[in-house]
Amino acid sequence: MHKSSSSSSFGPGGLDIAQSFFKPTQKTAPPTTLTKPTKISIVGAGNVGMAIAQTILTQNLADELALVDAYPDKPRGEMLDLQHAAAFLPRTTILASDDYAVTTASDLCIVTAGARQNPGESRMSLLHRNLALFEKIIPPLVKYSPDTVLLIVSNPVDVLTCVSWKLSGFPSNRVIGSGTNLDSSRFRFLIADHLDVNAQDVQAYIVGEHGDSSVALWSSISVGGVPLLSFLDRQQIAYEKEILQKIHKEVVESAYEVISLKGYTSWAIGYSVASLARAILRDQRSVHPVSVLANGFYGIGIGTGGDVFLSLPARLGRSGVMGVANVHLTDEEEKKVKDSAKTILEVQSQLGI
């Protein structure tokens, strides 16, 4: 096993001076037993994985952070680079390895690893390679951290979250996909930009597939607590459906634009996943649109005979998914969500899932 961590020894032979560096005070009580440190593991030390790691560190979300990658030099280099910033960050133990034993006793395991698409390779071929990759990732995570929550970020996230759930044997509440949490942030930003308000004052969700069949829930948008479409109707302010569709299209295409400009996306997904980690590990019970087992919601999965994960507004806490918000959907929105589920199920059927 190639494993690295911080060292507390100095001098010839690795003399440990930690005990002699500080002189104990008199009449002290025995050291208090601390609760188990919070541990997060990230599989995949690429651009996305490291943006998540950096955000987790700066937001002080973990006492221990383990980085795992198939190429051991990469996580070790990232670990050292982050350790050299220790004077500017909250105290966190950072580990790096290509051996999954380094993830032992993780509270949260975040998977960002995925096969890259080769020139001329079909999407289905890429999916098959990612399935084979996940068969090597999920079982060891479960072996070393049987009580962990799995958070899947790799794409196609809905399909791979379903695969992870089946491979793990976990209850569905402990397997979550990052889903449309970032899409919804982009959605809120665009609405806020149109209305010249802070995005934090906009409540808006993108649900369904993290992809082209995602659904914008226009009927439930509110700004500063005021339902948007109802307000426009009451004030007799005309708006065209095409404008709404254009905003949704911008959400779907925004990631492609970032990729065309800088080659990949990283910072926004880093903040998005860190927000999910905070909600889970700090038991915040906040609502996020994430990929969950959707069977039974809004008629999804009924009569299909298949399990499907897609994004719905879910309450997140220490046990993972604590429930799905009972958001009212219009008939049109409900149909689009069902169609989105069918899109995912068709892909899974072709893959034999």
Side-chain angles (χ1 to χ4, degrees):
M1 179 179 79
H2 187 96
K3 173 182 174 181
S4 303
S5 65
S6 302
S7 174
S8 62
S9 58
F10 284 91
L15 176 64
D16 190 345
I17 64 168
Q19 298 302 317
S20 58
F21 196 80
F22 295 97
K23 184 178 180 180
T25 57
Q26 297 182 17
K27 300 180 181 178
T28 59
T32 15
T33 303
L34 299 176
T35 56
K36 176 188 172 296
T38 301
K39 182 173 181 177
I40 298 176
S41 290
I42 299 175
V43 180
N47 294 316
V48 171
M50 293 317 301
I52 294 169
Q54 189 265 351
T55 312
I56 283 171
L57 287 172
T58 56
Q59 295 187 5
N60 197 20
L61 298 180
D63 301 302
E64 296 182 17
L65 179 66
L67 306 175
V68 180
D69 197 275
Y71 304 97
D73 286 350
K74 181 67 165 71
R76 174 169 167 75
E78 297 287 6
M79 177 200 72
L80 291 173
D81 203 4
L82 290 171
Q83 286 177 341
H84 297 164
F88 316 116
L89 292 169
R91 185 172 185 267
T92 304
T93 301
I94 306 173
L95 308 172
S97 181
D98 59 342
D99 190 321
Y100 284 85
V102 78
T103 67
T104 297
S106 294
D107 299 285
L108 178 65
C109 290
I110 302 170
V111 182
T112 71
R116 293 181 180 273
Q117 191 163 10
N118 295 321
E121 182 180 25
S122 70
R123 182 170 178 263
M124 198 54 58
S125 172
L126 176 64
L127 279 171
H128 277 291
R129 289 202 294 124
N130 271 323
L131 290 183
L133 181 62
F134 267 58
E135 287 173 355
K136 298 177 182 177
I137 291 173
I138 302 302
L141 289 178
V142 171
K143 173 186 174 182
Y144 290 111
S145 300
D147 299 317
T148 194
V149 173
L150 291 174
L151 177 53
I152 310 303
V153 182
S154 311
N155 280 316
V157 67
D158 302 299
V159 173
L160 291 178
T161 303
C162 185
V163 168
S164 299
W165 172 56
K166 293 185 176 183
L167 288 172
S168 69
F170 282 176
S172 63
N173 60 293
R174 289 205 282 130
V175 184
I176 306 166
S178 56
T180 58
N181 193 52
L182 177 52
D183 305 69
S184 297
S185 175
R186 291 170 174 145
F187 191 37
R188 292 168 66 187
F189 161 72
L190 290 170
I191 294 168
D193 195 45
H194 277 275
L195 299 177
D196 194 24
V197 297
N198 191 310
Q200 293 183 348
D201 293 319
V202 177
Q203 185 81 9
Y205 294 121
I206 298 287
V207 299
E209 178 199 20
H210 173 58
D212 294 343
S213 74
S214 64
V215 182
L217 299 186
W218 288 101
S219 65
S220 61
I221 294 174
S222 65
V223 180
V226 179
L228 179 62
L229 296 191
S230 302
F231 172 80
L232 295 177
D233 287 336
R234 285 197 308 272
Q235 299 297 317
Q236 296 183 343
I237 299 173
Y239 63 91
E240 296 180 358
K241 196 172 183 180
E242 288 74 18
I243 296 175
L244 307 185
Q245 293 171 341
K246 182 181 177 183
I247 293 175
H248 180 215
K249 186 179 179 183
E250 284 185 63
V251 173
V252 173
E253 294 179 349
S254 57
Y256 300 123
E257 182 180 8
V258 174
I259 291 169
S260 70
L261 291 169
K262 62 176 276 189
Y264 55 90
T265 62
S266 57
W267 298 120
I269 189 64
Y271 281 103
S272 173
V273 174
S275 75
L276 301 179
R278 186 189 309 108
I280 294 166
L281 296 176
R282 294 187 178 171
D283 199 29
Q284 289 193 328
R285 304 178 183 226
S286 50
V287 177
H288 297 264
V290 291
S291 193
V292 299
L293 182 62
N295 292 50
F297 294 101
Y298 306 109
I300 295 170
I302 295 175
T304 65
D307 296 311
V308 61
F309 277 68
L310 54 73
S311 287
L312 295 171
R315 184 168 61 134
L316 301 182
R318 197 61 185 78
S319 59
V321 176
M322 303 180 70
V324 172
N326 189 18
V327 178
H328 173 73
L329 305 186
T330 65
D331 291 342
E332 182 182 6
E333 288 169 344
E334 186 168 324
K335 181 182 182 303
K336 286 181 177 179
V337 171
K338 288 180 182 177
D339 289 343
S340 190
K342 289 177 184 176
T343 299
I344 298 168
L345 283 167
E346 285 171 6
V347 174
Q348 292 181 181
S349 176
Q350 293 176 55
L351 293 169
I353 300 172

